Amino acid sequence: MALHLQQGRRARVLTLALLLAAVLLGALGAAVGSTGVERLWQLVDDPIAWQIVRDIRLPRTTGAWLAGALLGLAGAVAQGLFRNPLADPWLLGSASGAGLGVALALGAIGGSPAAAAWGVRLGLTGAAFAGAVAAVLLTLTLARGAQHTLRLLLAGVIVGMVLGAIKDLFTLSSADILQALVVFMLGNTALVGWNACAIMAVALAGCLIAARLLAPVLDGLALGEATAASLGLPLPAMRAALVAVLSLATGAAVAQTGLIAFVGLAAPHLVRSIVKTTHAGLLMLSAFMGGALLMAADLLARWLIAPQELPVGVLTAVLGGGYLLFLMHKRSRGGGR
């Protein structure tokens, strides 16, 4: 009982810490630009500078938190659904589907470099989301539904490889789209505006509510298929609902920011290393952790080689991969003792 109370207290402290980190990182995100760190109170008297903060930096920073939260939530759902701590949001082929959708859209518009234009941006966003959803539906078709986790996982791997190969072949035949496609594949928060933030906020709210309702299913699955079934849980329908949450969260994030690696994989790991909780708490904390991680990565991407920027997806891959390698090394040393 005392341990349960201690873990509950630790979960509340972690929640407050992550929310405070989001506020502080948001303030830094509004102050960091191509010229370095600026003082926000000095920007209020400069209408042009304030417009840059209001229309570019604030939506970009907010969008980074929302996309990170969606990926963190999707990662926690994937790891619970597949009962594998190495599962990530891309397991159902959504990344390859989104990449193929963007490649086809770029080919249709002639590989225009004006990706920031509203019409083109909306086209790429819709193509990425449609491609991600189509890939998940294809995975579900090949796996004959979501009843068998292993079959679903294998189908996702196959779909991801096939769609990725088709995207590469299409790119080779239309080399003029390569530069714009690389920007999407490396992940980028620079083009996120308030409209994109609104879309991701609605998706995040819906996914959090659905995931919270489905958390007991993940708790049951953690005890094994037979135990979950003995609890009277309608596993086929609830698995399908979890796949829908995973797909919507992943698709909404990737459509707005491109492919950002390791956030969905690392966020649940970080939460579990700090606090032991049920999936109801893990899902929410993973979302908050993912948001803070991507906000921090976005700040580093803007600041490290200013006035130029690093692709935020590259930075998250390096930092996330380094963290997981450290974690593996630590566990292997512990197991060796």
Side-chain angles (χ1 to χ4, degrees):
M1 185 65 179
L3 180 61
H4 178 73
L5 292 175
Q6 181 182 4
Q7 292 297 334
R9 190 180 307 113
R10 184 175 296 182
R12 289 191 293 272
V13 171
L14 179 59
T15 300
L16 292 175
L18 290 174
L19 291 176
L20 179 61
V23 173
L24 295 176
L25 290 170
L28 281 174
V32 173
S34 59
T35 58
V37 181
E38 302 166 345
R39 297 176 180 176
L40 287 177
W41 59 85
Q42 293 179 347
L43 299 178
V44 178
D45 297 329
D46 187 342
I48 297 178
W50 182 244
Q51 185 177 12
I52 292 174
V53 171
R54 185 186 65 233
D55 297 336
I56 297 178
R57 294 183 191 170
L58 282 177
R60 174 177 182 169
T61 303
T62 305
W65 188 90
L66 289 168
L70 285 165
L71 292 174
L73 175 62
V77 171
Q79 291 174 16
L81 178 62
F82 293 107
R83 290 182 292 164
N84 188 335
L86 295 180
D88 69 5
W90 316 121
L91 276 180
L92 299 182
S94 55
S96 298
L100 178 59
V102 169
L104 293 175
L106 287 171
I109 63 177
S112 171
W118 280 108
V120 176
R121 179 62 180 163
L122 183 61
L124 295 184
T125 298
F129 186 78
V133 172
V136 173
L137 292 176
L138 180 58
T139 298
L140 289 172
T141 301
L142 292 177
R144 299 176 185 174
Q147 290 86 356
H148 302 285
T149 304
L150 180 58
R151 184 187 296 170
L152 186 64
L153 178 61
L154 293 176
V157 172
I158 294 170
V159 168
M161 293 180 63
V162 172
L163 295 185
I166 295 174
K167 183 260 298 177
D168 292 338
L169 289 173
F170 183 79
T171 304
L172 288 175
S173 64
S174 305
D176 54 337
I177 72 172
L178 182 59
Q179 183 176 359
L181 183 60
V182 166
V183 172
F184 174 82
M185 299 300 291
L186 293 180
N188 191 356
T189 56
L191 298 177
V192 175
W194 287 120
N195 287 343
C197 290
I199 293 172
M200 288 191 288
V202 172
L204 178 61
C207 289
L208 278 174
I209 293 172
R212 177 66 180 83
L213 294 175
L214 294 168
V217 183
L218 296 175
D219 291 334
L221 287 174
L223 301 174
E225 296 274 345
T227 303
S230 68
L231 294 174
L233 297 172
L235 291 183
M238 289 189 166
R239 272 205 193 95
L242 286 168
V243 169
V245 171
L246 171 60
S247 305
L248 178 58
T250 306
V254 71
Q256 306 299 334
T257 60
L259 305 185
I260 296 178
F262 278 105
V263 171
L265 181 60
H269 276 275
L270 284 171
V271 172
R272 282 193 292 263
S273 68
I274 298 172
V275 62
K276 305 299 181 185
T277 181
T278 62
H279 277 88
L282 177 65
L283 294 169
M284 182 186 68
L285 288 171
S286 296
F288 291 169
M289 181 68 77
L293 288 176
L294 192 51
M295 285 180 81
D298 180 58
L299 282 173
L300 286 175
R302 285 188 259 170
W303 174 72
L304 283 177
I305 57 172
Q308 295 180 326
E309 293 185 11
L310 287 170
V312 68
V314 173
L315 198 57
T316 58
V318 172
L319 297 177
Y323 166 73
L324 290 178
L325 286 174
F326 166 77
L327 193 63
M328 291 173 61
H329 175 68
K330 182 179 178 181
R331 288 188 176 181
S332 64
R333 289 186 61 185
R337 293 176 184 175

